[in-house]
Amino acid sequence: SQQGEEDPQALSIQEGENATMNCSYKTSINNLQWYRQNSGRGLVHLILIRSNEREKHSGRLRVTLDTSKKSSSLLITASRAADTASYFCATDGYSSASKIIFGSGTRLSIRP
Amino acid sequence: EPEVTQTPSHQVTQMGQEVILRCVPISNHLYFYWYRQILGQKVEFLVSFYNNEISEKSEIFDDQFSVERPDGSNFTLKIRSTKLEDSAMYFCASSSPRTGALWETQYFGPGTRLLVL
């Protein structure tokens, strides 16, 4: 079964606006991470939120986690052209301490 | 800031040939991983490695794949006889667990783009 699934699949907003991306997952987790991937490039870790946390901030990023709904959101405030990328949520396999499971990602485009 | 490095950045090979993808994890990390991403698809877990042995592998990681930590710094993925469907971006990652915990941030390398012809 698929674990993390992002919504929307694609998002296009004007520079300066806020971007919100959502992630849903199916099984219990210990933590959830968000990664960014520029086109054809590597994965950059953005933020990790643990299952006992509800909200976390890092610069212009705000992540929430609702374990009762098995969902998370990533908010990027005051978006910039450089934020154009794909964003993935990734959950740990609750019964597996090693692998992380990626969602399909949201392609974010920031219009100048 | 320490980072995971991978070589080569691109590799083109003929079907049936062996390839070795190389990674240098962050130096004080203890857990190492390989993932792959077929063009336009999700990032998929292949294998994790700890204490000189595989700790978990996916169904993708069949007998054609092997991993090795030949020395104190390198971590390699070998594909013995490449197939067309092995064409993908291969990512190495490493992590450093806190005492008593195994789940931590995984830091990814820039990837090796493998093209099998």
Side-chain angles (χ1 to χ4, degrees), chain A residues 1-58:
Chain A
S1 64
Q2 303 202 42
Q3 182 67 328
E5 291 297 330
E6 288 86 344
D7 161 53
Q9 291 186 340
L11 178 63
S12 179
I13 60 172
Q14 204 73 33
E15 192 169 17
E17 293 180 340
N18 296 340
T20 300
M21 290 160 273
N22 303 297
C23 167
S24 60
Y25 57 92
K26 295 186 187 308
T27 64
S28 297
I29 60 171
N30 294 296
N31 64 62
L32 184 145
Q33 306 181 57
W34 284 90
Y35 286 83
R36 184 185 75 224
Q37 184 181 36
N38 291 80
S39 181
R41 308 292 291 275
L43 294 153
V44 176
H45 181 261
L46 296 176
I47 200 163
L48 180 151
I49 186 166
R50 301 194 185 281
S51 59
N52 61 352
E53 297 176 311
R54 292 295 166 258
E55 189 171 309
K56 207 160 181 180
H57 297 255
S58 177

Side-chain angles (χ1 to χ4, degrees), chain A residues 42-90:
Chain A
L43 294 153
V44 176
H45 181 261
L46 296 176
I47 200 163
L48 180 151
I49 186 166
R50 301 194 185 281
S51 59
N52 61 352
E53 297 176 311
R54 292 295 166 258
E55 189 171 309
K56 207 160 181 180
H57 297 255
S58 177
R60 293 184 296 114
L61 305 180
R62 173 179 166 248
V63 168
T64 63
L65 179 63
D66 187 336
T67 53
S68 67
K69 295 181 179 175
K70 292 187 168 57
S71 67
S72 173
S73 68
L74 170 67
L75 168 69
I76 303 174
T77 60
S79 62
R80 304 168 183 166
D83 295 330
T84 294
S86 290
Y87 291 82
F88 298 89
C89 69

